[in-house]
Amino acid sequence: EWISDAAAAASTPTKRDRKLPAPFMVWLVIAMSVYRTLSIKNVLQRLGRVVGMPPLWSDGEVPTSTSVSEARDRLGFGAVYALMARLHHWLIETYRDAMSWKGWLVLALDGTTFKMPDTAENRRWFGLPGTSRGGRAAFPQMRAVFLVSTQLRFILRACFAPYRQGELTLAWNMIDSLPERSLLVLDRYYLAWRFLLTVEGKGHQFLLRVRKKVRSTRIKRFGKGDYLVTVQLPRQLRRDHPELPHVVFLRELTTQIRGRWYRYFTTLSDPQQYPARELIALYARRWEVETSIDEVKTHQCAATTVNRPVIFRSKRYRRVLQEAYALVIAYNVIRVIMTQAAATVSITPLRLSFVDSVEHIR
């Protein structure tokens, strides 16, 4: 049903019986994200010649590459984006309790980049990053920001943009679409006061690791390494944005892990309801977003920095975006199957091997 609805939203709906109608093309771009090491022709053969069934096409011939490209252009990327958004909504509705801690949906936010074929159109739209030795990189790159469940590793939001757009800019674009009662677990890069105060103003909370040089004034002690503090916002920031307060009240946690000191800010100010020890343990789950990105790039896409650097196949930017949204859909569907499987034996899906699961599904 979802596939049919997405196909109806295609850029150019199919008006006659074709070898590659829009619903089939939605299936194809998702399958391309599961069989990342196969050419599109070989993916078509797997979909169109299932063992024990007659060929999908009456003449038995797999459609040509030109036909596939034209069919992908007719589908566009808006239809695949709509399907991705619908899946995100379903994941939150279905698994919210399993992804929550004390009533808050625990989410980690982080960015990454994806390489694509070096074509004039991809260079123009996505850009070539610079290198430390001067000049430009060998491949165009897309910047992406993922909002990931730390409990189940679902990618619940995904934003893709040209490389020149910063990670924090993409994160800003996600604020209005954050699920209700979200608790963002963030690394030190996200210590941007306008961003954090906007997140809090929307009714969400955050738990953030802080650099040593960030100054705070302790005004109340809750326990060992647990304080209510004030932080004075930078003068220049208040000049540019006079609506911001001069001082922010936060809870500061400090702890020593393996001989190294760590500092955190959070808006969860009640030490009875949200014990410091539990919050510090919760922050350690932030690394699940790094694992999710690794699962997508290294394992699902079989991509490495040197031997197989290019994630996407497409030479045109609209098809690249189509692949990107389909990649997130395929990853989430794999993790849903893993979650359902883990439930049958009452274990967390994080204990299952992603690589082994993908191989079984393929």
Side-chain angles (χ1 to χ4, degrees), residues 214-233:
V214 178
R215 294 183 179 180
S216 63
T217 303
R218 295 173 179 177
I219 59 176
K220 184 177 181 180
R221 185 177 186 271
F222 295 130
K224 184 179 179 181
D226 189 357
Y227 305 92
L228 178 66
V229 301
T230 59
V231 180
Q232 188 168 357
L233 299 192

Side-chain angles (χ1 to χ4, degrees), residues 339-354:
T339 302
Q340 292 171 347
T344 64
V345 288
S346 302
I347 64 170
T348 170
L350 303 190
R351 288 186 58 193
L352 299 183
S353 165
F354 181 80

Side-chain angles (χ1 to χ4, degrees), residues 269-289:
S269 57
D270 187 343
Q272 301 300 321
Q273 188 175 3
Y274 309 109
R277 184 181 294 272
E278 293 184 28
L279 285 171
I280 291 168
L282 190 69
Y283 185 84
R285 302 295 296 272
R286 193 201 73 80
W287 287 98
E288 298 299 340
V289 67

Side-chain angles (χ1 to χ4, degrees), residues 14-120:
T14 305
K15 296 182 180 179
R16 59 185 177 84
D17 186 22
R18 299 179 184 268
K19 279 189 172 184
L20 298 169
F24 178 81
M25 292 308 300
V26 178
W27 286 109
L28 174 60
V29 295
I30 296 172
M32 285 163 53
S33 298
V34 177
Y35 297 105
R36 286 297 302 129
T37 59
L38 299 183
S39 67
I40 295 178
K41 184 175 181 180
N42 285 332
V43 177
L44 277 170
Q45 288 176 340
R46 283 181 180 255
L47 294 182
R49 296 178 180 177
V50 179
V51 175
M53 295 178 62
L56 185 62
W57 300 284
S58 57
D59 56 8
E61 290 293 324
V62 174
T64 64
S65 298
T66 302
S67 299
V68 174
S69 298
E70 291 175 352
R72 289 183 63 190
D73 288 340
R74 287 195 301 271
L75 179 67
F77 63 82
V80 187
Y81 175 83
L83 181 61
M84 180 187 72
R86 190 168 186 175
L87 177 58
H88 288 167
H89 181 72
W90 179 86
L91 289 171
I92 294 169
E93 276 193 340
T94 307
Y95 294 105
R96 183 178 183 103
D97 289 345
M99 294 188 291
S100 297
W101 175 77
K102 297 182 182 292
W104 295 97
L105 187 61
V106 186
L107 305 172
L109 193 64
D110 207 0
T112 186
T113 58
F114 293 95
K115 296 178 183 177
M116 64 202 69
D118 185 16
T119 65

Side-chain angles (χ1 to χ4, degrees), residues 124-249:
R124 185 169 63 253
W125 280 93
F126 296 106
L128 290 170
T131 65
S132 58
R133 294 170 293 182
R136 293 290 174 179
F139 295 96
Q141 290 189 28
M142 166 198 288
R143 195 177 299 279
V145 170
F146 292 153
L147 188 68
V148 176
S149 163
T150 62
Q151 311 294 89
L152 299 179
R153 288 192 200 145
F154 294 135
I155 299 176
L156 297 178
R157 295 287 185 271
C159 189
F160 300 98
Y163 182 84
R164 59 184 170 271
Q165 290 198 24
E167 183 179 326
L168 194 59
T169 302
L170 299 190
W172 263 100
N173 295 337
M174 284 190 175
I175 291 178
D176 288 336
S177 63
L178 287 174
E180 184 181 358
R181 288 182 62 83
S182 293
L183 168 58
L184 295 187
V185 184
L186 305 167
D187 66 14
R188 293 173 293 181
Y189 175 81
Y190 287 92
L191 183 58
W193 291 113
R194 282 187 63 225
F195 173 78
L196 294 173
L197 292 174
T198 303
V199 167
E200 185 184 15
K202 297 287 185 179
H204 309 296
Q205 307 286 350
F206 63 80
L207 174 60
L208 171 85
R209 189 178 164 199
V210 187
R211 294 182 176 91
K212 291 181 180 179
K213 65 180 181 180
V214 178
R215 294 183 179 180
S216 63
T217 303
R218 295 173 179 177
I219 59 176
K220 184 177 181 180
R221 185 177 186 271
F222 295 130
K224 184 179 179 181
D226 189 357
Y227 305 92
L228 178 66
V229 301
T230 59
V231 180
Q232 188 168 357
L233 299 192
R235 189 174 300 173
Q236 185 60 49
L237 178 64
R238 287 188 280 110
R239 253 195 225 110
D240 296 339
H241 302 280
E243 73 280 4
L244 295 179
H246 285 229
V247 172
V248 177
F249 288 83

